[in-house]
Amino acid sequence: MLLVLGRRLANIIPTMLAVVALVFLLFSVLPGSFISGMNEDGRSTIDPAVMERMRKEMGLDDPLIERFAKYVAATATGDLGISFRTREPVTKMLAGRIWPSLKLVLAAMTFAILVGVTLGFLAALKPGSLIDTAAMVGAISGLSLSQFWFGLMLMYLFALKLQWLPSFGYGDGGLRNLILPAIALGVGPMALLARTTRAAVLDVLNADFVRTARSKGMSERRVVEWHVLRNALVLVITIVGLQFGSLMGQAVVVEKLFAWPGVGSLMVDSVFQRDMPTVQGCILMIVLFFLVINTLVDLAYVVIDPRIRYR
Amino acid sequence: MTTPLLKVENLRIALAGDGVTYDAVENVSFEIGRGEAFGLVGESGCGKSITALSVMGLLRRPLSLAGGRIILDGKEIQNVSAAEMRRLRGKRIAMIFQEPMTALNPLSPVGRQIAEMFVLHEGANWNEAMDRAEDALRQVRVPSPERRIKDYPHQLSGGMRQRVMIAIALACGPDLLVADEPTTALDVTVQAEIIDLMAELCAAKGTAVLMISHDLGLVANMCQRVAVMYAGRIVESQVADAIFATPTHPYTQGLIDSLPRLGERARRGRQKLSEISGVVPSIANYPAGCRFNPRCPAVTDVCRTIVPEATPLPADGVVRCHHHG
Amino acid sequence: MSLALKLPRLRLKGGTSLWVGGGLVAIAISSAILAPWIALTDPVLDANLMNAELPPSWEFPFGTDAQGRDIYSRIVWGARVSLSVGIISQICNSLIGVTLGLTAGYWGGWWDDLVSGLTNLMLAIPSLVFALAIMAILGPGLVSLVIALGLTSWSYSCRIARAQVLSLKSQGYIQAARILGYGDLRIMFTQILPNILGPLIVIATLGMGGAILAEAALSFLGLGIRPPFPSWGSMLSEARDQITTAPWLSVFPGLAIFFTVLGLNLLGDGLRDYLDPQSTTRRG
Amino acid sequence: MAEPLLSLDDLAVHFKVGNALAGGIKTLKAVDGVTLDVKPGECLGLVGESGCGKSTLALAIMGLLPPTRGAMNVDGQQISGATPPDRMKMARTVQMVFQDPYASLNPRQTVRRTLADPLRLHGITDKAEVEARVIDMMAKVGLRPEQADRYPHEFSGGQRQRIGIARALILKPKLVLCDEPVSALDVSIRAQIINLLLELKDEMGLAYIMISHDLGVVEHVSDRVAVMYLGRIVEQGGWQEIFENPRHPYTRALIAAIPDPFHRAAISADAKARGEIASALNPPSGCHFNPRCPLKADICTAEYPAFGEVSPGHRAACHFRDRVG
């Protein structure tokens, strides 16, 4: 079992290295253009002295390979450079924001799994019924929602009109502030999980071994318990892993909407203030989030499906 | 004649298309005595598998039992309550299927899938059930069963998996084993072993067999009586040897003459195989009258309009053809 | 970009999802094209502070914004931006994804490893985050938005195309073509591509919905088209501050996005059922 | 002695299986040293069960799989490493008929285009000539001209196989490799396709390699027969020799495994093989068949038997080839 764990964690490193290289390419090779041409109509909004300091700081004049090696070495040891705006180390700025972002993403995913998978199961067990049609219409609508608009509507209804919940902000980090952003963020993945679970359960229900189980004289309830449940779960887990990627992306917008002090909102602010080191730091942090959570989901998959363990 | 173990009378199975329903199987009747092996032969789509599923009460949408009676040991079971049917399945009548690759739950050890039978039908606890599962594996001659019960299906070969299926089916000593093309997906040498194993175990336990296959030779070799199905109807049913010695229905004759048989070429030199012209009709466009008429060499007008009656043959045989024999 | 590889099929009766989806998309596209004729006022110039923040009425069906501009007209004009960004970026995604996926699946070897590595890399970075990064470099604006969206979510069509090619490669008619002397390119474009168009069209349609959502999100963050030109996302961004005083400012652009994307998703589902009705049974 | 059309010399196709981390890299010897010839106009039957490598051998002969070892010579031309012009010449010499009629035709292409494209590709551009050859070839395989503009889904399995055969013959090859051409078809139409293949063979002077697991079909069509087990040829000879006087226990087991309703048991039942087919990943030591062989002795596990001659043209790889029978 540990071998599998080791192997899965090991392949985070090459992907992370590739991402660092890509980010380096994007931000350290190309910025020559962006530092000079600050906005569309060609006027440079930063005075030359500041620009010179930025060039020196980013070491734009050293040879490429050397800069890349220095960059990778620094990133590996957690030094993500200095923020242009606040002059603080990016790592320190990020540190405080990791937990709020993680909390939001995990809350959203929990909501998505609990509601989505249950809806999917109920819909599959009674195909064509009212619950099935309602769940699926709800699901495709959930998929078509823009998460930030849905958040805005939730904020308007529950926070401003009914005043049950705070309209934005992290507050004391309690649950009350977490509910609206988590639901807004989780509605997309919830819809997708409902549809995928329904398809997975239907596929399993039509599988040959379920027919064998029925031929053994089992009640339909026991067929689902002993044979359908686990097989459907395996199919759903693969989608949960994949879903995390897009969830991270959506979190950026939802955090900005709810003024949530997470990595996402920091990234948006840094983009506006041309604070490139911080933007790079945020990207690497979000990707690390994604890879770690994805690997954990992968491991759950290996635990449940013996076919993987033996390969 | 003692009451037969299983008696199927004018069975009719309907297939619900969109807006119209078709008769996938029409007035099929046969009997299987206690401990007897009965073969149901036919090409793909002739309705043999769904006949087997209807005996087990496993027909699901869009298929449904539209008529006829299924009598097990003198008692009608075609519309008993679901709970009562469940008590019969696995205990009195059991079934094995064609695809060994997909017929077992990939996420559960094979031993446990056998043990389920003892827990379900004999109220055994899991430890006791697992021990009996090990014995069941030994009975179907799976090597080192104490290790194999922990294996998952993907670790076993096709032949091994089919042995597990047989162990599951015969676990609670059923009176009837329904085998739906059990060896079609297996290689010739493995097929021979599985057929011999099935015949031996069923003979030893006095279990009757309803053997479904498209291989006339295989069925004739293993079963006492054989029925030939074409396009949802039984066209001929006789004692096994008679089917090959004196095939009566033109379709049966055509089938036997069209298949190249070992030793034939050495005896009479290479003859052009006698062909059955045309194609197998699909359920949506079954011809009127005798459904074999478009392909039958002895077709006349009556065949195209009137469904032939069942005329008896020696030794309880039957044939449905206007110009039989 | 909430989009999965294997979207399940809806059991709506017959082609309902095809017709409803097609209808919604038709409405959205026609309103974009006919904007000059069906809009009541000019989206930018007719700013008249006299009727600022008026609720929906006969004169202004969707009400007016803080500068007194008619929301309905801005939505109709905004459709042009959102739809064009969605369609163009999805076409880029599909072209890149299909060419990479097709060649990687067919030739295999080191090229397949390279493309697969690149795809996994792209999937590791959430596409909205990647788009944000590109926007940070190129600066806000419509062109950089299309480039950002067009380059970041091709991995889905690539994976679908590659999986389709791998499953078709062992089919008899592909091997027969090679034995008959067909060249690789001829096989890819005359034998393989026509047979995988179905799933690719479905993915492209669903991808368009995703691209419109992404454009709305980026515009909402203020990175989209420069004000005062309207796009649904930027309208929502402006409407956010008046959420309490003029809630209708945020409702209608949001609904426009929702129904367009819903239309595309339904159309995608309907197309899958139409193009490959017995997909499971025939392959089952 | 006519120059052989196809000659294989110690041909081998090995695959790397598994990855460096999980359990290391093993080599799967799918085809492991096959030497055989096919003379013009001759039909060589290739028999073996799943996993014996006959399909891999077929792909290697067609140039779709690069061989790991050994030489392949078609009509005096080396195959492996063939450049594009060679591949075009190869296309006019060797062609293939596939097993699954539902997967062997491009669903988006009409019959006319499926047959005409190869002609145009090979330089026949004159419209009238292309049309004439398409219609003529369709007639040869029993299809009517008006069916030329139909798509594959409008045809039955048997008709699709006819289209596959027409496509294989459109370039007038000398050798056609048939990979299980009838095993996926309905039983009652197999004879139509077997007769068609034999007629075309005589009419166009073709050589066939007939791959099949159905010994009845192989005996009917073959002039010479080769039996494969775990990537190697274990017995080879004239059809009468192989079926009447088989000298390798595996060949005998194959024949004994066939259900024999006519009780013409040339081979006694005890010649049946036991146990499971070994895996090509780690074949048993010595003779690969020893774990399943009824005649197994110490020498069988020690040393792989020579492919010795039993009589002119009849060879068997078994230490007891002379004593058997």
Side-chain angles (χ1 to χ4, degrees), chain A residues 228-298:
Chain A
V228 174
L229 206 59
R230 204 161 155 199
N231 279 280
L233 217 55
V234 163
L235 297 176
V236 168
I237 283 180
T238 42
I239 290 297
V240 169
L242 199 68
Q243 247 324 289
F244 262 101
S246 84
L247 198 66
M248 299 288 179
Q250 303 296 348
V252 167
V253 188
V254 171
E255 280 185 16
K256 189 62 186 158
L257 174 69
F258 284 94
W260 191 259
V263 176
S265 50
L266 173 63
M267 179 172 177
V268 174
D269 300 340
S270 314
V271 165
F272 274 95
Q273 290 130 14
R274 287 281 170 283
D275 185 352
M276 287 313 150
T278 317
V279 172
Q280 288 171 243
C282 293
I283 294 176
L284 294 183
M285 186 51 67
I286 289 175
V287 170
L288 192 63
F289 260 20
F290 172 71
L291 290 176
V292 168
I293 293 177
N294 218 342
T295 312
L296 295 181
V297 169
D298 232 9

Side-chain angles (χ1 to χ4, degrees), chain A residues 19 22 26 34 40 136 140-141 144 146 148-149 152 156 192 195 198-199 245-246 248-250 253 257 272 283 290, chain C residues 1 4 7-11 121 124 126 128 130 133 137 140 220-221 236 240 247 250-251 254 258 262 265 269:
Chain A
V19 170
L22 184 64
L26 276 177
F34 93 84
E40 266 185 24
M136 286 310 114
I140 195 155
S141 316
S144 316
S146 42
F148 66 93
W149 177 63
L152 200 56
Y156 176 68
L192 194 71
R195 283 166 58 110
R198 177 178 178 278
S246 84
M248 299 288 179
Q250 303 296 348
V253 188
L257 174 69
F272 274 95
I283 294 176
F290 172 71
Chain C
M1 262 310 291
L7 269 184
R9 273 178 307 292
L10 259 178
R11 276 287 160 274
L121 173 63
L128 204 57
F130 201 164
I137 295 162
F220 175 73
L221 294 176
L236 281 174
R240 192 155 71 99
S250 348
V251 168
F258 172 71
L262 180 66
N265 283 341
D269 270 3

Side-chain angles (χ1 to χ4, degrees), chain B residues 43-44 157 187-189 193 196 221 244 261-263 265-267 270-273 275-276 278 295, chain D residues 49-50 156 186-188 192 195 199 219-222 239 244 257-259 262 264 272 275-277 292:
Chain B
E43 297 182 78
S44 53
S157 71
D187 285 300
V188 177
T189 49
E193 269 194 293
D196 292 348
N221 225 15
F244 271 93
R261 275 188 315 287
L262 278 185
R265 182 179 176 189
R267 263 208 336 282
R270 175 151 63 191
Q271 308 285 326
K272 183 171 188 283
L273 297 173
E275 297 172 9
I276 303 178
R295 309 177 71 190
Chain D
E49 294 177 306
S50 54
S156 72
D186 286 326
V187 178
S188 62
Q192 293 171 21
N195 289 341
E199 279 155 33
E219 188 208 37
H220 182 74
V221 301
S222 317
W239 69 272
E244 305 232 315
I258 299 167
F262 293 93
R264 246 197 319 293
K272 283 188 179 166
E276 290 299 309
I277 302 174
R292 307 180 63 202

